[in-house]
Amino acid sequence: MRRALAALVCLLTTACVGQPQGTADTLVATDGLGRTLPTAAECGPPKPGKQVGIFYFLWLGEHAGDGPWDVTKILARDPQAMSKPDSPLWGPMFAPHHWGEPVFGYYRADDPYVLRRHAQMLSDAGVDFVVFDVTNQFTYKPWYMALLKTWSQVRAEGGKAPQVAFLTPFWQPAKVVDELWRDLYQPGLYPDLWYRLDGKPLILADPSLIASSSQNTNHDHPEALEPGHTLGQSFHSEETFSEVGASLPTWTELHSSATLTLRRGGPAGAVVATAQRRDLEDNGWCMLRPDAPQPAGDYYLELAEPGGKVGWWSHSQDVWPAGQAYADGQPVAGDRTIRVVQATAGQDGARSFFTFRKPQADYFQGPTGPDQWSWLEVYPQHVFRNARGEKEMMSVGVAQNAVDRRLGSMSERNSKGRAWHNGANDPALGASDRGLNFAEQWSKARADDPRIVFITGWNEWIAGRFPEFAGIKEPVMFVDEFDREHSRDIEPMVGGHGDAFYYQMVAEIRRFKGVPTPQAPSAPRSMALATDPAAWAEVRPDYRDDAGDPAHRNHLGYGRQPAYINTTGTHDILEAKVARDSQEVTFWLRAAAPLGKAAGLTLFVDQDASAGTGWVGYDLAVRCEQAKPGFAKLERWTAGSWQAVSDVPCRVDGASLALALPRRLFGQRLRLDQPLRFDFKWFASSEPPRGVEAFTTDGDAAPNCRFNWRYAE
């Protein structure tokens, strides 16, 4: 809505030509693999209504204990460690292990510095909302409250932060939904950060498992349904009910089917409702809804006509006084799982407050009905439609812990890692860094063109160490994350692929959502080192940076990790502009507070807009600290180091600064009909950047991280 309104204002205002360069979707960047972000010319204009969410994890700290134990570092020390479960390099059995080191270190999920950086990076990438993983019955309240507090502050300062939603347990969400309702939504905390779908806050939970109900979930074995036979369960309902169902295993088989029938009284009673259910979800609740609510009384639920492999989760003992198990219409020992949903369910606060989407846990099956969402699937992914039949969403993943056609562990041979595509893991050198799995899944999403894409994921980082999983036993096993290749986080790492997956995500989101046309430069003018913001008011483009983001950090790390301290932030850069005439190119900057002598403030210029030359693309650096009043030091990257060139005029006036560079530095003759095209970045830090990652972790980079602003006539 805000983007549409901005576009309308732009059309009605003759002074507005194109999109301000301060918006993140017009920034430029070339990643460490030489891949350049696509622009408006390649992506086309913005596509209304397109949105992107990403899986976000709150558990970095909640389950820490000791550690961190880093699998990548352990295997570097001992490449045979996976066959040595007793190696002292490993943490305890079941303890969480990092697959690698995040660019922000082994952080805790309540570190305000990290949370602020995450808000910036995700917003810059075009992410509209994050989905918290609370599928393990923990809501992580202290951690999500810390995030909401920080992201709310970012928004209050005029910055950008995604909105939030929660993915609850797939089969038993009631406890978690109740806690979230009680602790966050009912008190009305941080409502501006709630992600809304169809006008209400979104929660990923099966609504049939939230309703008031009587049920038996106890089971100790799956009872297989054989062709020509029936299984059943009688029950007594004390209240009017609207739905009844059973938990059915399919032994991971896809496309199984069966017929559910509800009868009054018992196996020979009158039929109330019957329906064939196809594409059964393994271990999911298969529900039957009569045309009208049914009064209290005795009933019988029957399962028959199996297609493929299907059964009914059952218990060998009598565990539910309200009913009795049956086979072929005859009573047998024990009970079967059953859920009876009261007809009044859905009238309470939580049920009417949320937009529910049932989460599909399976990587292979796809939707079993409308109003469902996936979180991760193998290629080719399915489109998930809403009740209106619209293509509502698809998931896109970096990697999948799937082996052949079953759920597996990331540490197993043939799991689908970052280099998986065309049905196999690509063995080529560097294939993992190129994100071939991610790209293949994005190509499917773009082809099917849903309204929403859900990405897995941002910052999972850890997985427990196990001796076996899903019937597979190996000396050491890691299920959801393992190593650099077999992991699915996009947040940049130390070493390895660095920030390659982050910029790949930025590029793919742009192709999915479209890109606005950037503002064109205003007419040539001589600025004569003017520093007054009023003098620059009509100069375009207007380059904007986040407020309140210089690096200030002092927070405990994960486990035994000591506190991380970062005090490199010196100035808070807010705005920048560029003007030119036939002799000079003048740069202007405005900060949040007086600059003093501009200590630690540097302008980096990529004079040919090419990342292939200079230091990470930058050919010129202007050190603005006023060691010599009225001048800054110009340096050029030559033979692998910064070499002094000359002093250049520079004026500091309160919170503003202006400096002028000779036009000839940009390879242009002194003619205004020779168009200028270059990239630039301001950086304010007490420490000079030792690598491109410093623009993410230190000081205040404007624009953020590896991004640059482009000046192009």
Side-chain angles (χ1 to χ4, degrees):
M1 178 64 72
R2 288 193 299 269
R3 184 173 296 184
L5 182 59
L8 178 61
V9 172
C10 183
L11 289 172
L12 296 176
T13 306
T14 57
C16 178
V17 182
Q19 188 81 359
Q21 284 270 18
T23 59
D25 42 13
T26 60
L27 299 173
V28 298
T30 301
D31 70 12
L33 302 180
R35 300 176 300 189
T36 299
L37 290 181
T39 62
E42 301 162 79
C43 299
K47 303 168 187 175
K50 300 296 184 184
Q51 292 192 315
V52 172
I54 195 167
F55 218 11
Y56 190 102
F57 298 84
L58 298 162
W59 56 24
L60 294 172
E62 175 78 15
H63 307 297
D66 290 333
W69 295 283
D70 187 320
V71 174
T72 295
K73 293 179 180 178
I74 290 171
L75 294 180
R77 291 180 62 183
D78 182 2
Q80 305 304 315
M82 291 297 291
S83 63
K84 302 174 182 178
D86 297 327
S87 170
L89 298 177
W90 296 118
M93 188 63 70
F94 310 117
H97 287 57
H98 283 72
W99 66 260
E101 183 177 359
V103 71
F104 300 117
Y106 302 105
Y107 61 83
R108 288 164 46 108
D110 60 349
D111 187 336
Y113 157 89
V114 175
L115 296 174
R116 182 175 286 269
R117 292 300 206 233
H118 283 178
Q120 291 177 340
M121 296 175 74
L122 293 170
S123 296
D124 286 348
V127 171
D128 300 286
F129 64 98
V130 303
V131 176
F132 299 135
D133 182 356
V134 292
T135 56
N136 59 0
Q137 298 294 337
F138 288 91
T139 64
Y140 304 103
K141 179 183 176 182
W143 311 89
Y144 74 67
M145 289 297 288
L147 179 144
L148 293 173
K149 178 181 178 182
T150 299
W151 286 15
S152 181
Q153 290 172 345
V154 169
R155 287 187 161 213
E157 294 162 357
K160 302 161 293 183
Q163 294 180 311
V164 306
F166 293 82
L167 173 60
T168 68
F170 296 101
W171 297 287
Q172 293 182 320
K175 169 182 173 291
V176 167
V177 172
D178 181 66
E179 290 180 13
L180 293 172
W181 166 246
R182 182 189 67 223
D183 295 340
L184 175 64
Y185 290 101
Q186 189 177 34
L189 303 178
Y190 304 105
D192 62 313
L193 287 170
W194 300 344
Y195 176 69
R196 289 171 169 82
L197 183 69
D198 292 343
K200 297 181 180 181
L202 171 70
I203 194 162
L204 298 178
D206 185 345
S208 70
L209 304 181
I210 305 301
S212 299
S213 64
S214 59
Q215 62 184 11
N216 171 42
T217 60
N218 295 312
H219 60 272
D220 60 10
H221 72 282
E223 189 79 22
L225 175 63
E226 302 296 338
H229 295 268
T230 66
L231 298 174
Q233 175 73 30
S234 67
F235 66 94
H236 177 80
S237 178
E238 296 286 349
E239 300 183 42
T240 302
F241 66 94
S242 59
E243 282 185 286
V244 61
S247 178
L248 308 181
T250 67
W251 288 268
T252 72
E253 186 169 310
L254 302 179
H255 310 305
S256 294
S257 64
T259 297
L260 271 181
T261 300
L262 175 66
R263 299 177 183 271
R264 287 194 178 90
V271 173
V272 175
T274 186
Q276 185 183 49
R277 294 289 185 249
R278 301 180 181 275
D279 297 324
L280 295 172
E281 179 182 0
D282 188 24
N283 304 321
W285 285 94
C286 181
M287 304 299 292
L288 178 64
R289 177 183 285 269
D291 291 337
Q294 298 301 300
D298 294 321
Y299 293 86
Y300 179 77
L301 184 65
E302 179 183 86
L303 186 70
E305 300 176 354
K309 198 168 186 180
V310 62
W312 195 334
W313 279 108
S314 306
H315 203 290
S316 55
Q317 304 295 318
D318 291 324
V319 292
W320 200 44
Q324 170 70 51
Y326 283 74
D328 293 326
Q330 300 299 314
V332 295
D335 284 302
R336 310 200 190 282
T337 55
I338 191 166
R339 180 175 175 83
V340 183
V341 180
Q342 296 173 8
T344 55
Q347 303 305 310
D348 53 56
R351 283 275 295 180
S352 59
F353 181 80
F354 292 108
T355 291
F356 286 89
R357 290 294 182 262
K358 178 182 177 180
Q360 168 62 283
D362 195 272
Y363 294 174
F364 309 96
Q365 187 175 22
T368 58
D371 290 340
Q372 298 180 8
W373 277 27
S374 61
W375 70 281
L376 184 66
E377 290 193 296
V378 299
Y379 176 87
Q381 316 94 280
H382 300 84
V383 175
F384 284 68
R385 297 177 181 268
N386 58 28
R388 298 183 293 273
E390 299 163 342
K391 293 181 178 180
E392 187 167 88
M393 70 83 62
M394 292 179 70
S395 60
V396 167
V398 171
Q400 302 81 32
N401 55 313
V403 180
D404 300 323
R405 293 291 294 177
R406 65 172 174 85
L407 177 67
S409 299
M410 278 292 198
S411 56
E412 286 186 65
R413 187 184 302 273
N414 292 329
S415 67
K416 294 173 173 56
R418 295 178 187 255
W420 181 276
H421 70 126
N422 293 333
N425 274 314
D426 194 319
L429 185 65
S432 172
D433 294 355
R434 299 203 304 274
L436 303 173
N437 188 328
F438 197 35
E440 185 175 60
Q441 294 225 328
W442 265 110
S443 69
K444 175 63 174 170
R446 289 198 307 275
D448 287 334
D449 198 31
R451 181 158 64 94
I452 300 168
V453 166
F454 181 97
I455 301 172
T456 293
W458 178 247
N459 64 332
E460 191 169 4
W461 287 112
I462 56 174
R465 178 167 78 97
F466 288 85
E468 63 177 292
F469 177 73
I472 305 298
K473 295 184 178 181
E474 294 183 357
V476 179
M477 299 187 76
F478 293 96
V479 178
D480 292 303
E481 303 275 4
F482 171 44
D483 59 9
R484 176 176 155 196
E485 160 67 13
H486 303 91
S487 54
R488 54 194 183 211
D489 292 318
I490 292 170
E491 183 182 13
M493 68 176 297
V494 172
H497 54 249
D499 57 11
F501 280 83
Y502 175 69
Y503 286 97
Q504 182 181 10
M505 177 178 73
V506 175
E508 295 289 4
I509 291 175
R510 288 186 178 188
R511 295 183 182 106
F512 173 66
K513 297 174 74 170
V515 175
T517 301
Q519 256 182 5
S522 49
R525 67 183 69 194
S526 299
M527 297 305 297
L529 291 187
T531 56
D532 185 355
W536 288 84
E538 301 303 320
V539 175
R540 298 288 183 270
D542 188 11
Y543 305 99
R544 297 292 179 124
D545 187 51
D546 304 277
D549 64 336
H552 296 140
R553 185 184 192 188
N554 187 345
H555 200 83
L556 287 175
Y558 182 100
R560 297 190 306 269
Q561 177 68 41
Y564 286 101
I565 298 174
N566 189 325
T567 59
T568 56
T570 54
H571 308 291
D572 188 1
I573 302 167
L574 301 180
E575 184 181 11
K577 295 192 178 189
V578 176
R580 85 286 190 198
D581 60 21
S582 63
Q583 300 295 318
E584 293 178 329
V585 178
T586 305
F587 294 81
W588 175 79
L589 173 144
R590 182 174 64 87
L595 293 166
K597 292 186 177 182
L601 185 62
T602 303
L603 170 67
F604 290 96
V605 179
D606 180 353
Q607 66 184 58
D608 54 2
S610 170
T613 60
W615 175 75
V616 296
Y618 302 114
D619 309 287
L620 305 173
V622 185
R623 317 292 180 181
C624 298
E625 185 166 358
Q626 301 286 281
K628 182 179 179 181
F631 291 92
K633 293 186 177 298
L634 172 64
E635 299 176 353
R636 182 184 293 277
W637 184 258
T638 305
S641 65
W642 290 109
Q643 303 292 325
V645 176
S646 64
D647 291 336
V648 294
C650 178
R651 177 183 297 166
V652 178
D653 185 4
S656 297
L657 176 148
L659 63 86
L661 297 179
R663 188 178 175 115
R664 65 176 181 276
L665 290 175
F666 297 87
Q668 311 293 334
R669 287 175 287 179
L670 302 183
R671 288 172 45 189
L672 290 174
D673 61 352
Q674 298 292 317
L676 285 173
R677 185 175 186 271
F678 60 87
D679 299 337
F680 70 102
K681 175 192 292 291
W682 287 94
F683 186 53
S685 175
S686 61
E687 297 289 336
R690 292 180 295 277
V692 70
E693 67 279 354
F695 296 139
T696 300
T697 60
D698 295 345
D700 182 13
N704 301 319
C705 302
R706 194 189 286 265
F707 289 112
N708 287 321
W709 285 316
R710 172 156 292 171
Y711 188 87
E713 294 182 83

